[in-house]
Every structure is written in C-alpha cells, then in structure tokens.
C-alpha cells in the first residue's frame, strides 16, 4: 500500500513513485542515500512535504563508477536507437505531465501553468532530440593534398555533469539531458537541494524507460545533494563536460575548478534583463509583456525583466498603465487557478527581497507600487515597481524577486547604452514599430545579450533557438540550433588513400623511405 503523506493533498505524489521519505541517489540502478536528510517544503506555507536522504560522497563515487561502466555501452549504441529511447522518455513524461507539473508548482512555488510548462519543455526537448539523433552530421572538407580525404567526425564525450538551479528544476535538465543522451553521453544530474522531489520523480520515470529497454539506468544518474556534490562533479576528471546553471557567483567557482583540470564548462548564469519601450511602440502589447516578464514566476526567472527603459514621451503613460495592472495581479497559492503571482521559493528569498527594498530606498529609489512582504506563513511579497537612477549600484545586480526598476531615456542610442551597461548579458527586448530601430537593435551596435527580442517579453524562450547569454551570464548555449556540438568531441580526420606522402603547405621534408 502507498505510504500516507502528512496532508491528503500530497497523495498524488504516490503516483510519481514518491513517498513521505525518499532516497535521493539512483547509482547503479538502486536507490540509496547515506548523506544528509533534507526536508522539501511548500513555499506557499513553509510546511514539510516529504524528506529526501541526499547522497554521501561514497554514494557519489559508486554512482559515477556505474555511470562510467554504462557509458561504454551507451556511446556504442547507434544514435537513432538512442533517439528512440529519448522518444520513450518523452512519452513517459507525457503520461505524467499534469502530475509532474503539479509537483513543480508545489515544490518550487511557480504557478501551475508554468509548472506544467516546464515539464512540457522537457517533452519538447525530447521530440527535438529524436530528430537530432539522425542529424549529428559531420562534414567532408576538401583536402589540399592529392589522394587525401579530410572529414569531421563527432563522437560522444562520455559523461556530462548537469548541475541545475531551483528556479527551473525540470526544464533545464531537459535542455541538457535530451541533447547529451542522443549525442551518446551518460548524464549525472544534481538538482537544487531545495527541489529534490522533482529530481527523484523525474529520474524514476527516466530510469524505468532505460530498464524496460534493457539498458542500465545508470546512463541517467541522479545525485541529490548540495554544494559538496556540485564541487565533486566540478573536480571530477571522469566528467569531461559540466553544464552549470545558477548564479554568476557559484558559476565562477565551478568554471575555475573545471578549467583547472582542462574540463569543458557550459555556463548559464545570472541575468539582468531590460525591456526598452520606444515612443512608437504598441503600448498595450508592451504593458502586457512587461507584466509577464517582471511578475511571472515571482521574478525568479533568469530572463525576468528587471529594468524597464521608457522613452520620455511615453514614460508617464506606461507607468500609470503598469501600476494599474500590478494592482490587479492575484497573489496566492500557486496551485489555485486564478493565481498569477505565487510565493518566493524560500524564506531566505523573502528576506533578500526585504533587504533589497531597504537598499533601493537607501540608494534613492522611489517605490511606485508594492515594496513590502505579505504577512503570511508562506513566502509572499508584493510585486514592486521602483523609479531609480540607472547609476544606483543595486540596478546593476540581480535581485531575484518581482522588483522592476524604471528608467527614462531620450534616444535609441541612450537606451541601448543603458541596456548594455550591466555586467550580465542574458536577455533583452525592444518594443517599437520602426524597422530602423529593430535592425539597429539586433545589429553589431545593438544589444550585447545572447537573447535579443523585438515586441515580445525577455522571458519565455522557445527550445528551437540556442539559449544563453554573454558576459557574466557565462557564454553558454543550450537547447536548440547547433548547441549539440558542445556535447560532442570533434575529431578532424585526414585519410591518405594513396602511396605518396605529400605534405600540407607544400613542405618537402627531403626523405624517401624505400
Ligand atoms: P545557485 O548558484 O545558488 O545554485 C545553483 C546550483 O549550484 C545548485 O544546484 C547548487 O546546489 C549548486 N552549487 C552551490 N554551490 C556549488 C559549488 N561550490 N560547486 C558546484 N555547485 C554548487 O543558484 P540558484 O539560487 O539555485 O538559482 C538562481 C540563479 O540561477 C539566478 O542567478 C538565475 O539567474 C540563475 N539561472 C540562470 C539560468 C540561465 O539559463 N542563464 C537559468 C536558471 C537560473
């Protein structure tokens, strides 16, 4: 019989293979956990949902060994066959879409449509990766030497380590794992320590697919844990590529560690994203977009709009419309149908919001709406708009909460300069009807971000494009386009099918063996 959770409303977790107490490491196809016990809490009321025993360093070691063994088999499996397994993973997730989406919403705190959207994103990535499994094409390059052929061959790396952040506890795994798997790599995944139930439930579904097909489930290994396990992954020479998603501060530590051992790093770090609204913009479109970009996911997306740059001619008008829209935002339990703004993820996030508001005030910021925490057992705060100088130090930082800074500009050039004036370079957007402004914006003297949008919000990217940002956002690219190349080893291969040894650049070495 399924074990009973403290609250009846959590019973759906049984259908995802979860229990009130869970083990968090699936090394060797067996669930185990000899590390710390962590309690997963509901951000809407700070009540416990279930506990997970994290992996110890010994568990980690066992799991990586099993994963390394499985890797030999997986990398020799034909890519389209690997694609077929990923297709089945997509099907398994599809069958639990609502349940898993509900778990994302319950444990992370984002509203239900966004929770379901995250799982849908992994499914979309599975579909994409299935097609890709038949297109991991190399190329043939004309050789300058007679009777020679030169080509590029793409081979798997081996094991890909994936470390993810709390705010996208499912989708970011999908961006990495679906591509890594079809490319012939095993995956070792460490999710955030505050979202272990999502890690365990997702891995159980994936493990079942591998086992059903006669493959070791160690091909996809989940290791629940905190910084210690993350650090072990970064240091591990058996893991040639570490894909890290999280803060710039931790990403920098991970990058140094991985590079010190000549590993490869794929970094998806903090953002500080701006929306520019020109005086010719469709203001209704702009206001709806800013609302979604700044308030969605309670301001806890890497792509959340944090800076709103308004042309002086429409400045006041947009502020009035936006303040009005903010006042209509329904705040509450993320699982309720009408809720638009759920809680922040942890009590610490709520405290950081309060500290941020104090700093904003001390740096001359003027609160136009919001600015307070909500007295409640959950981590709720008011969506906030602040008028502030672009030079205030806090504007240059990523405050991970629904706080929007409004700045005024006069010309497109000024707006682009403001957009580019922060250390982060993830996402950016302009609202305008002018082709001239659009092409300047996306051109060499335009936005310096990895994502450069026009008349859409900064967030809500599609999986078909390469996702990622420049500067302190880390430079990584994940999901679509040619991101797959980062998960493979490129071999430049030259074959001499003649009996002479002509050398490149016409070099004559002056020696002929008989
Ligand atoms: P975080 O940096 O605190 O943690 C991220 C992950 O790193 C977690 O799994 C954590 O356990 C692990 N970790 C912590 N210390 C480590 C260490 N020393 N070595 C290795 N791993 C370690 O980030 P967070 O608070 O979970 O997430 C929010 C941040 O992530 C924001 O800055 C957000 O912008 C960023 N983010 C970026 C993207 C993107 O695609 N650019 C996507 C999602 C989130």
């Amino acid at each position: 019989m399924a074990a009973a959770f403290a609250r009846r409303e959590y019973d759906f977790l049984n259908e995802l293979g979860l229990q009130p107490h869970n083990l968090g490491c699936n090394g060797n196809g067996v669930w185990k956990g000899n590390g710390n016990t962590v309690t997963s809490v509901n951000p809407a009321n700070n009540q416990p949902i279930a506990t997970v025993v994290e992996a110890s360093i010994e568990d980690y070691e066992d799991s990586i060994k099993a994963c390394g063994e499985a890797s030999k088999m997986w990398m020799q499996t034909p890519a389209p066959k690997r694609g077929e397994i990923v297709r089945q993973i997509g099907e398994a997730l599809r069958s639990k879409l609502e349940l898993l989406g509900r778990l994302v919403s319950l444990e992370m705190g984002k509203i239900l449509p966004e929770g379901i959207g995250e799982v849908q994103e992994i499914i979309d990535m599975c579909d994409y990766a299935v097609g890709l499994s038949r297109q991991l094409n190399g190329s043939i390059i004309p050789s300058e030497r007679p009777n020679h052929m030169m080509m590029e061959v793409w081979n798997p790396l081996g094991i890909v380590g994936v470390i993810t952040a709390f705010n996208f506890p499912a989708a970011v795994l999908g961006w990495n794992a679906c591509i890594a798997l079809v490319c012939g790599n095993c995956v070792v995944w460490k999710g955030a320590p505050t979202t272990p139930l999502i890690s365990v439930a997702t891995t159980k579904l994936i493990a079942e697919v591998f086992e059903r097909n006669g493959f070791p489930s160690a091909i996809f290994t989940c290791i629940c844990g905190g910084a210690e396990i993350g650090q072990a992954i970064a240091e591990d020479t058996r893991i040639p590529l570490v894909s890290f998603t999280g803060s710039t501060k931790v990403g920098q530590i991970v990058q140094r560690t991985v590079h010190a051992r000549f590993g490869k790093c794929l970094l998806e770090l903090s953002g500080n994203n701006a929306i520019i609204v020109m005086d010719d913009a469709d203001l209704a479109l702009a206001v709806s977009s800013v609302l979604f970009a700044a308030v969605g996911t309670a301001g806890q997306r890497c792509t959340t709009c944090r800076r709103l740059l308004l042309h002086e001619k429409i400045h006041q008008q947009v502020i009035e419309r936006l303040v009005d829209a903010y006042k209509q935002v329904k705040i509450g339990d993320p699982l309720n149908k009408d809720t638009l703004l759920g809680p922040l993820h942890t009590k610490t996030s709520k405290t950081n919001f309060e500290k941020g508001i104090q700093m904003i005030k001390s740096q001359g910021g003027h609160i136009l709406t919001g600015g307070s925490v909500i007295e409640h057992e959950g981590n709720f705060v008011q969506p906030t708009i602040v008028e502030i100088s672009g030079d205030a130090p806090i504007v240059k930082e990523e405050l991970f909460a629904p706080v929007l800074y409004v700045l005024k500009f006069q010309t497109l050039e000024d707006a682009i300069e403001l957009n580019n004036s922060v250390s982060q370079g993830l996402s950016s957007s302009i609202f305008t009807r002018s082709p001239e402004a659009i092409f300047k914006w996306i051109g060499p003297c335009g936005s310096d971000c990895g994502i450069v949008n026009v008349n859409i919000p900064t967030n809500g990217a599609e999986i078909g494009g390469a996702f990622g940002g420049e500067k302190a956002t880390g430079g990584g690219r994940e999901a679509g386009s040619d991101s797959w190349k980062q998960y493979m080893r490129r071999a430049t291969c030259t074959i001499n099918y003649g009996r002479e040894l002509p050398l490149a650049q016409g070099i004559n070495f002056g020696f002929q063996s008989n």
Side-chain angles (χ1 to χ4, degrees), residues 157-214:
L157 291 169
I159 302 177
V160 172
V162 181
I163 301 174
T164 55
F166 78 82
N167 65 330
F168 275 95
V172 172
L173 181 266
W175 298 347
N176 285 283
C178 299
I179 304 287
L181 286 172
V182 294
C183 288
N185 303 297
C186 289
V187 171
V188 170
W189 176 32
K190 190 201 90 60
T194 49
T195 54
L197 298 179
I198 296 162
S199 298
V200 174
T202 308
T203 305
K204 286 198 166 169
L205 281 168
I206 295 174
E208 222 175 87
V209 173
F210 279 111
E211 281 158 13
R212 199 184 329 124
N213 284 275

Side-chain angles (χ1 to χ4, degrees), residues 163-168 175 190-193 225-227 230-231 244-247 250 253-254 268-271 302 398 400 426 467 473:
I163 301 174
T164 55
F166 78 82
N167 65 330
F168 275 95
W175 298 347
K190 190 201 90 60
Q231 188 67 20
F244 175 87
T245 302
S247 59
V250 177
I253 299 170
V254 169
E268 296 288 356
L269 311 178
S270 314
C302 50
E398 183 196 47
F400 223 51
L426 181 53
F467 181 90
T473 304

